[in-house]
Amino acid sequence: MTPPSGVVVLTDRLVARGGLDRVVAGAIAGGVRCVVLREKDLPRAERAALAADLRAILADVGGTLVVAGPDPLGGDAVHLPAAGPYPPPAHALVGRSCHDQPELDRLTTEHYATISPVWPTKTKPGYGPPLGPDGLRKLVETSPVPLLALGGVETPEQVTACVKAGAAGVAVLGAIMRAKDPTETATSLTSAYVEAVTPVLTQSRRGVTQVSTSGLRPTVPTQGSSLTARSGHGRPQPPTATREKQ
C-alpha cells in the first residue's frame, strides 16, 4: 500500500453532521481517498462491521481504509497511537500519531505519521502548543517518513500552507465531520492540495523532494448513502471522479 497523501479524513460519528454515512459518502464524492476509522468506543464486532462497509465503499474508488489501533479489523492498514505498541505490528500500511521530535525519532518500520497539532483544534481544545507551519516544516525536514499535518486544518489556505511546509497531506476531522456539505468542503480542500502540490512535484522531478499526487478532483456532487455508523449497512455508490493529470 502507498502511504496516504492529499486529504485524509478521520471519523467521529458523534459529531458527524447528519450521520457518519452521509459525511463519509460526501467526503469520498469530494475527492477523499483515505479514511481513518476511529470509533474506538464501539464493540469490536460493530466496529469490524463498520470497517467492512467503509472498506467496500473506498474499494469502489481505489481508496484505503486505515483502522486506528493495532487491530486492522480484517484489513491490513492501521494507525497507532504515539504510546505504542513498539515495535509496530507488521501490516501492509502502518501509521503512527506523533507530536514532537522525540516521537518521530522512535519510528522504525512505520510507513507514515501524523504530526499534531498544527493549529488549535476544536476536537481537542487546549491541546498543544500548536506547531504552526514553521514548526511543521522543521519536523518534516527531520522525519524519516512522510508526515500528514493534523489539528485545526479547516481551510484551503491551511492546506496550502501545510503542503508548502513539506507535508505529504493533511488529516482532517472536524472540518469534514461538521460540514453542512461534506462534498463541497472535501472538494475545496482536495483542490487546494492538488494546486499546492503541483510546484512541489515540479521540484521532485529535479530531485529535490517527492510528494504523491493521488488526490482526485470530483466532477459531480454526491448521491445519497445507505451506509450507517453501525445502525445499519449498505454501500453507497459515490459518483465518478477524474484523476488530476500528473
Side-chain angles (χ1 to χ4, degrees):
M1 293 183 182
T2 303
S5 61
V7 177
V8 176
V9 169
L10 281 63
T11 71
D12 188 338
R13 74 189 192 285
L14 300 180
V15 301
R17 191 165 184 166
L20 189 60
D21 57 339
R22 168 183 173 273
V23 174
V24 170
I28 292 172
V32 169
R33 293 297 179 263
C34 183
V35 174
V36 178
L37 174 64
R38 296 168 73 247
E39 319 310 326
K40 293 183 179 181
D41 60 313
L42 287 176
R44 187 187 185 282
E46 292 185 23
R47 193 167 179 247
L50 177 56
D53 281 346
L54 295 178
R55 198 173 284 120
I57 298 169
L58 283 158
D60 288 340
V61 294
T64 301
L65 180 75
V66 181
V67 178
D71 182 355
L73 300 175
D76 204 19
V78 297
H79 186 88
L80 307 173
Y86 289 97
H91 294 299
L93 182 63
V94 178
R96 190 179 295 278
S97 296
C98 294
H99 309 88
D100 52 32
Q101 189 63 57
E103 290 180 351
L104 288 174
D105 290 342
R106 294 184 66 184
L107 298 176
T108 55
T109 59
E110 292 88 343
H111 302 100
Y112 76 93
T114 57
I115 193 73
S116 65
V118 180
W119 283 282
T121 169
K122 296 177 183 177
T123 303
K124 293 183 177 180
Y127 198 77
L131 295 165
D134 289 339
L136 171 62
R137 180 179 295 104
K138 292 178 182 178
L139 293 176
V140 166
E141 290 173 351
T142 60
S143 175
V145 297
L147 296 184
L148 298 176
L150 170 65
V153 181
E154 299 183 347
T155 69
E157 292 76 17
Q158 289 173 313
V159 173
T160 299
C162 291
V163 173
K164 288 184 176 180
V170 297
V172 180
L173 192 154
I176 298 289
M177 290 291 116
R178 298 185 179 95
K180 292 182 180 179
D181 187 337
T183 300
E184 181 180 359
T185 299
T187 298
S188 66
L189 297 179
T190 56
S191 295
Y193 167 77
V194 171
E195 292 169 5
V197 82
T198 300
V200 177
L201 181 60
T202 300
Q203 290 181 338
S204 75
R205 292 177 178 140
R206 298 169 182 164
V208 177
T209 186
Q210 186 170 355
V211 176
S212 171
T213 54
S214 60
L216 301 176
R217 188 189 301 275
T219 57
V220 292
T222 185
Q223 303 291 327
S225 166
S226 59
L227 172 69
T228 68
R230 289 322 312 151
S231 58
H233 295 290
R235 290 181 63 178
Q237 299 299 316
T240 58
T242 56
R243 186 175 297 276
E244 285 295 310
K245 295 182 180 180
Q246 299 183 23

